[in-house]
């Protein structure tokens, strides 16, 4: 154990209280699979003291999905392209098999829901809410433990998910339906596959979103070196990792300036410098995706490094958050 | 607005919890077209034969680590304060990740996540009449450790046959990685034979390893197989043919040739998080190679289907 440096890293996302700003990006950390992989010692540690300030499970959809055929991942310069395609057992099986153990984690949870039409999101949210109320008792207990992130931005399903997030109107309709049945943290995860994410973010907030997550992956293509045909089973894929960081940071910068709700920033975060950049453009929380494949404790390490940074400067998290919009840092 | 970026001169403390172990190269050797890389790894926990680790060279220019079978493992020397294992890997350089690792020198660092995945079930092999190892090229990697574990098992298999298929004489130099485990088994009284075949025909017999298998396969054999996917499928076809010839009703009776295959897939995490490493298995479902595998039984992976099989249809 390292001594506490007495820096307050607490982050509030609506009713959720996070001990620090670092969380995982949906679809890139399965705590239970990882714990099983790592075996008794480190695996147990992972579940007892998860390295994330809140746990974001993989996208769940109403109906089960098989996902895309292999191959599903390939490395690219400073990143990777994936065409996973949202495989999941469906909401009913998720509630039955996974919900209890997820709620048993000593962390807030931000459930990630996917769908292909506005009604689907509302229906899924209602079912999830009922299941949570059954388990946690009061609605208030639910909001303090569980938030929701709407994935309207997956580029790897060809039947509509990203189309919602690419349209301000569809996003607004989707969020409105969900906001009617969900009073907790309601984050909408936006796609960077648009010229300007600001109108979509504004429409989401207008309809009741209480946070904006961005970005999902950038749609891309890799060819098979030998056959010169598309390499991935899903043909195109989503690009993530350090290669996308400046692109993603620009989206966060623009959206943070335009809306008044907390931002969950992500895209290419690999180091504490990246975390600082996202906070500086106005993110309240920072999600790490593909870079944590290397080490499932990366989130915690980055939180510690952030703590050291702030401690040594005598700065607060509030000083840092959004400072890029206020003329940047002083004293360099 | 008092935030200022820190520099190392500010003496930032290093607090870094990690699941990634820091390996240090203790031995690196070229063997024909492959490399034997031994890492000294404090914090390593003993591996099962057939498990793998995700490796990344220190200062790597690759984004993701790469998967490698555990080739050999030496427990910590008594009195080693770090309790470090020496873990060996056999690498075939085929691209940037494997090339970086093969260029590592003694003393260099490598990040390690592992051991991971589901390996061979020793219980199903140790009492066998004969264990037949079938390996193609760098598919030989997991078997020296498996043979060491079989030598230490009780009971031991009555006999062991190692069939190795290589591209050419240079690649076939990798046969040396079997010297130690094979002599150990022989010393212990387990008759152990190694046979080579190469496609180029510049060493031993000319042809494919499946030809050797077709001649050798017996009813009491248990097979362990690793190599290119096409080789694995061809080996399974030999098994199915054998089953049909020796017992025409066996398939109906649910009888199966006891064979286990270590399979490959491109991986991102190696720990079940990304769902990137799936392959289609016999029941039509997609299975994660990093969790359910890399070792699958032949029936589980290939079922009764013949190859070449149709490519799965692309969705959407
Ligand atoms: C469980 C497991 C155990 C393994 N054990 C070993 C071992 O013991 N020794 C060993 O040497 N290897 C082993 N491998 C294989 C090893 O992981 C790969 O060879 C390695 O990841 C290659 O990385 P690279 O950067 O060198 O090559 P890459 O450039 O990543 O290429 C490697 C492979 O990726 C595919 N690929 C990637 N991009 C493209 C593209 N654009 N077009 C076409 N194909 C592409 C091809 O199949 C290619 O052969 C194992 C793999 C698994 C899953
Ligand atoms: C393998 C993989 C699977 C992903 N699955 C999902 C998912 O199920 N739902 C989702 O909202 N985003 C998913 N994403 C996107 C990430 O959550 C994140 O938005 C993106 O990867 C950018 O962050 P990064 O550059 O740190 O990886 C996935 C990303 C990867 C690499
Ligand atoms: S490699 Fe990520 S799930 Fe298997």
């Amino acid at each position: 154990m390292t001594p506490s440096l007495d820096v307050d890293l607490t982050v509030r996302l609506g009713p959720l209280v996070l001990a620090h700003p670092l969380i995982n990006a949906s679809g890139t950390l399965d705590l239970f699979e990882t714990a099983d992989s790592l075996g008794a010692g480190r695996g147990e540690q992972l579940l007892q003291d998860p390295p994330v300030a809140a746990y974001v499970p993989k996208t769940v959809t109403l109906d089960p999905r098989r996902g895309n055929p292999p191959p599903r991942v390939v490395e690219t310069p400073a990143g990777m392209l994936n065409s996973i395609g949202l495989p999941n057992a469906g909401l009913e099986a998720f509630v039955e098999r996974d919900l209890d153990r997820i709620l048993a984690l000593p962390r807030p949870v931000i459930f990630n829901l996917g769908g292909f039409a506005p009604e689907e999101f509302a229906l899924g949210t209602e079912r999830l809410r009922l299941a949570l109320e059954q388990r946690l008792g009061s609605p208030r207990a639910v909001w303090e433990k569980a938030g929701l992130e709407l994935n309207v931005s997956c580029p790897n399903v060809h039947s509509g998910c990203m189309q919602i997030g690419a349209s301000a109107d569809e996003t607004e309709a989707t969020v409105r339906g969900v906001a009617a049945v969900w009073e907790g943290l309601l984050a909408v995860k936006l796609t960077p596959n648009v010229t300007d994410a600001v109108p979509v973010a504004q429409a989401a907030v207008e309809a009741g979103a209480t946070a904006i997550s961005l970005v999902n992956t950038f749609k891309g293509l890799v060819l098979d070196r030998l056959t010169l045909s598309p390499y991935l089973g899903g043909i195109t894929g989503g690009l993530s990792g350090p290669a996308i960081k400046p692109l993603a940071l620009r989206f966060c910068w623009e959206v943070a300036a335009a809306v008044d709700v907390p931002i969950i920033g992500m895209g290419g975060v690999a180091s504490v410098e990246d975390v600082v950049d996202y906070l500086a453009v106005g993110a309240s929380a920072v999600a790490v995706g593909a870079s944590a494949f290397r080490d499932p404790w990366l989130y915690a390490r980055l939180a510690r490094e952030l703590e050291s940074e702030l401690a040594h400067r005598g700065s607060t998290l509030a000083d840092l958050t959004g400072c890029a919009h206020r003329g940047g840092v002083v004293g360099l | 607005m008092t935030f200022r970026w820190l520099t190392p001169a500010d003496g930032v403390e290093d607090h870094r919890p990690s699941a990634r172990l820091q390996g240090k190269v203790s031995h690196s050797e070229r063997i024909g077209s492959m490399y034997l890389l031994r890492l000294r790894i404090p914090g390593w926990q003993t591996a099962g034969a057939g498990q793998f680790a995700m490796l990344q060279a220190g200062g790597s220019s690759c984004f993701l680590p790469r998967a490698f079978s555990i080739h050999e493992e030496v427990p910590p020397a008594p009195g080693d304060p770090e309790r470090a294992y020496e873990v060996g890997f056999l690498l075939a350089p085929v691209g940037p990740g494997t090339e970086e690792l093969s260029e590592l020198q003694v003393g260099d660092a490598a990040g390690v996540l592992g051991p991971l995945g589901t390996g061979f079930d020793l219980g199903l092999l140790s009492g066998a009449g004969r264990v037949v190892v079938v390996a193609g090229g760098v598919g030989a990697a997991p078997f020296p450790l498996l043979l060491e574990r079989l030598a230490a098992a009780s009971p031991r298999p009555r006999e062991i046959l190692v069939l190795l298929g290589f591209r050419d004489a240079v690649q076939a130099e990798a046969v040396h990685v079997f010297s130690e485990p094979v002599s150990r088994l022989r010393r212990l009284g387990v008759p152990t034979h190694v046979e080579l075949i190469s496609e180029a025909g510049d060493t031993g017999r000319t042809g494919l390893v499946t030809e050797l298998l077709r001649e050798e396969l017996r009813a009491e054999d248990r097979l362990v197989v690793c190599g290119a996917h096409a080789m694995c499928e061809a080996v399974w076809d030999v098994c199915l043919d054998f089953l049909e010839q020796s017992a025409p009703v066996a398939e109906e009776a649910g009888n199966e040739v006891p064979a286990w295959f270590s399979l490959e897939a491109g991986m991102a995490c190696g720990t079940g998080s990304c769902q990137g490493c799936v392959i289609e298995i016999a029941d039509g479902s997609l299975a994660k190679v990093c969790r359910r595998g890399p070792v699958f039984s032949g029936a589980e992976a290939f079922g009764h289907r013949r190859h070449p099989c149709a490519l799965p249809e692309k969705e959407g």
Side-chain angles (χ1 to χ4, degrees):
Chain A
M1 258 313 280
T2 37
S4 162
L5 298 174
D6 274 337
V7 177
D8 187 5
L9 292 180
T10 311
V11 169
R12 274 167 226 282
L13 293 177
L16 298 185
V17 181
L18 278 57
H20 59 74
L22 281 134
I23 65 176
N24 65 293
S26 178
T28 61
L29 175 67
D30 184 323
L31 276 175
F32 305 97
E33 284 282 272
T34 308
D36 272 355
S37 298
L38 295 180
R42 283 177 294 155
E44 276 160 27
Q45 201 191 341
L46 193 74
L47 297 181
Q48 281 161 12
D49 186 13
V52 288
Y55 179 51
V56 189
K58 177 152 183 89
T59 297
V60 192
T61 52
L62 267 185
D63 297 322
R65 291 181 47 81
R66 179 176 167 88
N68 285 322
R72 287 177 168 180
V73 290
V74 63
E75 181 159 320
T76 55
M80 60 178 283
L81 196 71
N82 86 78
S83 71
I84 309 292
L86 302 185
N88 76 96
L91 186 60
E92 199 180 317
F94 176 79
V95 165
E96 249 168 51
R97 294 196 321 221
D98 301 329
L99 194 54
D100 288 318
R101 61 180 188 175
I102 291 176
L103 292 175
L105 293 167
R107 293 289 182 275
V109 181
I110 301 175
F111 293 95
N112 181 302
L113 203 61
F116 308 95
E119 318 79 66
E120 233 180 282
F121 279 94
L123 193 58
T125 303
E126 214 165 355
R127 290 194 187 157
L128 180 64
R129 177 196 167 135
L130 276 175
L132 288 168
E133 279 177 4
Q134 263 171 17
R135 285 163 174 82
L136 296 171
S138 67
R140 191 194 150 129
V142 173
W143 314 142
E144 282 174 0
K145 174 76 177 176
L148 189 61
E149 181 175 67
L150 304 182
N151 179 2
V152 293
S153 46
C154 180
N156 290 323
V157 292
H158 305 282
S159 35
C161 181
M162 192 173 82
Q163 272 80 332
I164 295 182
S167 144
D169 290 346
E170 291 220 24
T171 300
E172 187 168 344
T174 301
V175 178
R176 213 172 279 294
V178 170
V181 290
W182 184 266
E183 293 152 49
L185 173 77
L186 176 52
V188 178
K189 184 164 178 181
L190 300 185
T191 175
N193 297 297
V194 292
T195 323
D196 185 1
V198 167
V200 187
Q202 285 170 331
V205 172
E206 182 71 22
T210 55
I212 298 290
S213 300
L214 78 174
V215 298
N216 209 316
T217 52
F218 289 79
K219 197 166 174 173
L221 179 70
V222 162
L223 294 186
D224 188 300
R225 292 191 283 255
L226 295 176
T227 65
L228 297 184
S229 60
Y231 178 71
L232 293 176
I235 314 293
T236 57
L239 188 66
S240 63
I244 71 167
K245 192 202 134 189
L247 303 168
L249 194 66
R250 165 242 159 179
F251 279 102
C252 284
W253 155 268
E254 289 175 354
V255 169
V259 299
D260 232 356
V261 296
I263 305 288
I264 302 174
M266 71 190 94
V269 175
S271 68
V272 69
E273 288 87 344
D274 300 325
V275 175
V276 166
D277 281 356
Y278 275 96
L279 295 170
V281 300
S284 298
V286 179
V288 184
S291 288
F293 290 150
R294 233 174 307 169
D295 180 0
W297 261 275
L298 180 64
Y299 325 90
R301 196 178 99 194
L302 295 177
R304 285 295 178 82
E305 290 176 2
L306 177 65
E307 186 179 37
S308 308
E309 283 290 338
L310 294 172
H312 282 75
R313 288 300 154 208
S315 309
T316 67
L317 194 56
D319 292 333
L320 170 58
T321 305
C323 75
H325 298 278
R326 301 189 297 264
V329 298
V330 293
L332 260 176
Chain B
M1 255 215 308
T2 52
F3 181 78
R4 188 162 79 81
W5 182 245
L6 270 189
T7 65
D10 294 303
V12 189
E13 282 177 76
D14 201 5
H15 310 301
R16 302 181 174 204
S18 180
R20 187 161 143 120
L21 305 172
Q22 281 308 316
K24 201 169 220 179
V25 178
S26 57
H27 179 91
S28 169
E29 179 188 351
R30 191 185 172 128
I31 305 179
S33 60
M34 299 181 207
Y35 290 81
L36 174 63
L37 180 71
R38 280 198 194 116
L39 299 174
R40 185 183 147 78
I41 313 176
W44 178 263
Q45 286 164 351
T46 188
Q51 284 195 290
F52 69 98
M54 300 297 285
L55 300 186
Q56 191 170 30
S60 171
S61 59
C62 295
F63 177 56
L64 296 167
R66 303 291 195 260
F68 297 96
S69 302
I70 293 151
H71 175 65
E72 46 173 41
E73 183 190 85
V74 182
D80 175 359
E82 288 189 312
R83 292 194 39 76
Y85 277 79
E86 289 238 359
V87 186
F89 299 91
L90 187 67
L91 317 179
V94 298
T98 44
E99 268 156 26
E100 276 178 355
L101 286 160
S102 17
E103 281 158 16
L104 290 180
Q105 304 292 315
V106 172
D108 286 347
V112 182
L113 196 60
L116 301 169
T118 310
F120 295 105
D121 187 338
L122 274 194
L124 296 171
L125 296 170
S126 57
R130 184 169 75 161
V131 168
V132 181
V133 172
V134 185
V138 76
F143 296 119
L145 180 65
L146 179 68
L147 294 187
E148 290 288 352
R149 294 290 153 87
L150 288 175
S154 159
R156 295 187 194 98
R158 278 205 304 277
E159 196 182 337
I160 291 178
L161 175 64
V162 181
L163 305 178
L164 301 173
F166 292 109
R167 212 169 33 230
D168 53 28
V170 178
Q171 198 189 42
E173 286 178 41
V175 67
H176 294 304
V177 302
F178 285 94
S179 322
E180 264 187 51
V182 165
S183 34
R184 173 138 179 251
L185 282 160
R186 286 180 183 153
R187 276 199 308 276
L188 291 166
V190 182
T192 305
H193 309 281
V194 180
E195 284 185 46
L196 282 191
I197 190 162
S198 78
E199 287 168 67
D202 49 359
T203 177
R205 264 176 66 171
T206 309
L208 298 172
V209 74
T210 38
E211 293 166 29
L212 293 180
L213 180 65
R214 217 174 265 284
E215 291 162 17
E216 288 286 352
L217 197 55
R218 296 188 213 143
E220 85 268 19
D221 289 343
R222 302 202 172 173
L223 272 64
V224 287
V225 188
C226 184
H229 200 79
M231 185 206 90
C232 291
E233 291 179 330
V235 166
W236 186 240
D237 279 351
V238 173
C239 295
L240 292 182
D241 288 347
F242 179 80
L243 202 64
E244 258 171 30
Q245 284 156 18
S246 55
V249 288
E251 279 194 38
E252 275 165 56
N255 196 357
E256 258 130 25
V257 178
W260 292 272
F261 295 79
S262 179
L263 299 177
E264 274 189 28
M267 291 186 177
C269 69
T271 54
S273 280
C274 74
Q275 307 204 43
C277 63
V278 297
I279 55 169
E280 190 178 24
I281 58 172
D283 66 6
S285 69
L286 296 171
K288 291 181 200 170
V289 171
C290 73
R291 295 281 298 136
R292 184 146 167 196
V295 175
F296 293 82
S297 79
E300 188 184 17
F302 306 121
H304 297 300
R305 106 190 162 214
R306 295 276 160 180
H307 301 99
C309 64
L311 287 171
E313 268 179 50
K314 295 194 172 181
E315 192 186 87

